[in-house]
Amino acid sequence: MGKRIVSGAAVLVLALAAILTGGTCLAAVLLVISCAAYRELCRAAGVHVKSGPGTLEAAGYLGILLYYVLIWQGENGAALAESGRLPLFLGMLLIGELMLLMAVYVLTFPAYRSEQVMAAFFCIIYGPVMLSFIYLTERMQYGIYIVWMIFISSWVCDTCAYFTGVTLGKHKMAPVLSPKKSVEGAIGGVAGSVLAGMLFSLLAANQAIPDRSVTWTFAALGGIGAVISQIGDLAASAIKRNHDIKDYGTCIPGHGGIMDRFDSVIFTAPVIYFLARILIGA
């Protein structure tokens, strides 16, 4: 537990520093985290080879690097973003990455199986692309405030769900997949995130977003994000169960790997981004 608290605090400090700095620093930190998440997922899904990154996995790293360079360049005022063609180029990049993986598949045949190719592409979308919405959220209008809802709806939910489950939990939510999680804990996590979202809005966001109160909007972001975060947590657990592994990695003592710590954030990041676009018009 001591290692878990210390390493968790270190991750929190890193997140605070990266988000408060924002821009290029945040993009660079997310690139490193995304590559680590991709490696862990590749190992879990059987894409990684023991002798080191194989050709298929290396093609994925190349696609991740190009993806982050493109969103960094586009969201920092480049002509690509100003022309409104950034989504088009991102789509082209993802299709191009799939074609690159397929090219590796056919040119090295029979070194890889089709299941490994599909897993490699899934690992790129599931980890790196979904994590990139942290950066995309931070760069939108009022994003420096909205981006915190990604972590509030994930980590506050996780903490509140744990303590509520320990004290009140009686009904199992997913007895086969995660026996320790309870319905009461899930409800407590959502309630805690809603309250945290409202409190954050009252202390910071309302003063920064002019001409309107966003208290209930941030409460909705917290509640919806909390529900989604628990699905993300269970999804990552299901993958581990399918591949008979305890943790994705060991880089965060007491927590496991990047995927073990950011499993819920991966799901909440794109949800908060799109909800903010709809509800706040950011």
Side-chain angles (χ1 to χ4, degrees):
M1 180 60 71
K3 288 183 178 179
R4 184 178 179 87
I5 293 173
V6 172
S7 59
V11 170
L12 179 60
V13 170
L14 176 61
L16 285 169
I19 293 174
L20 289 174
T21 305
T24 302
C25 176
L26 178 59
V29 170
L30 285 172
L31 173 60
V32 173
I33 292 174
S34 293
C35 287
Y38 174 69
R39 181 177 184 274
E40 291 174 359
L41 286 167
C42 283
R43 289 173 66 90
V47 177
H48 184 83
V49 293
K50 292 183 179 179
S51 58
T55 309
L56 187 65
E57 187 179 353
Y61 286 118
L62 176 60
I64 294 166
L65 175 62
L66 292 176
Y67 174 81
Y68 270 88
V69 168
L70 187 58
I71 63 171
W72 167 75
Q73 188 75 358
E75 292 297 324
N76 277 280
L80 185 61
E82 294 172 0
S83 68
R85 297 169 66 187
L86 180 60
L88 172 64
F89 277 82
L90 289 175
M92 291 172 58
L93 177 62
L94 291 176
I95 296 298
E97 175 61 20
L98 177 59
M99 291 181 176
L100 175 60
L101 294 174
M102 292 302 293
V104 171
Y105 173 51
V106 298
L107 293 175
T108 61
F109 192 86
Y112 298 100
R113 296 180 58 82
S114 59
E115 294 88 346
Q116 291 174 295
V117 179
M118 290 184 282
F121 189 67
F122 167 80
C123 292
I124 293 171
I125 302 297
Y126 180 33
V129 172
M130 293 178 75
L131 279 170
S132 72
F133 279 89
I134 297 174
Y135 174 74
L136 294 174
T137 301
E138 190 270 338
R139 300 306 295 172
M140 67 167 60
Q141 188 180 22
Y142 315 124
I144 190 59
Y145 299 96
I146 298 170
V147 71
W148 293 109
M149 292 307 302
I150 295 174
F151 298 95
I152 288 173
S153 60
S154 301
W155 292 349
V156 169
C157 173
D158 185 45
T159 302
C160 292
Y162 173 79
F163 286 108
T164 305
V166 167
T167 56
L168 301 176
K170 293 182 180 179
H171 301 86
K172 301 297 184 182
M173 184 171 67
V176 176
L177 179 57
S178 187
K180 293 183 179 180
K181 294 186 184 298
S182 66
V183 174
E184 292 82 2
I187 294 172
V190 173
S193 295
V194 169
L195 293 175
M198 294 177 67
L199 181 62
F200 178 72
S201 173
L202 292 171
L203 294 177
N206 275 342
Q207 290 75 27
I209 301 176
D211 304 325
R212 54 181 158 166
S213 172
V214 292
T215 300
W216 292 109
T217 302
F218 271 61
L221 292 178
I224 297 172
V227 173
I228 297 299
S229 76
Q230 295 184 70
I231 296 174
D233 185 17
L234 290 171
S237 296
I239 293 173
K240 289 192 289 186
R241 289 293 184 109
N242 280 159
H243 294 88
D244 196 26
I245 58 175
K246 183 179 184 296
D247 294 316
Y248 282 101
T250 58
C251 63
I252 307 177
H255 293 271
I258 292 296
M259 285 299 303
D260 296 292
R261 179 65 276 183
F262 287 85
D263 50 5
S264 56
V265 171
I266 285 173
F267 266 54
T268 56
V271 169
I272 295 298
Y273 174 84
F274 289 117
L275 282 176
R277 290 287 192 194
I278 295 170
L279 299 178
I280 303 177

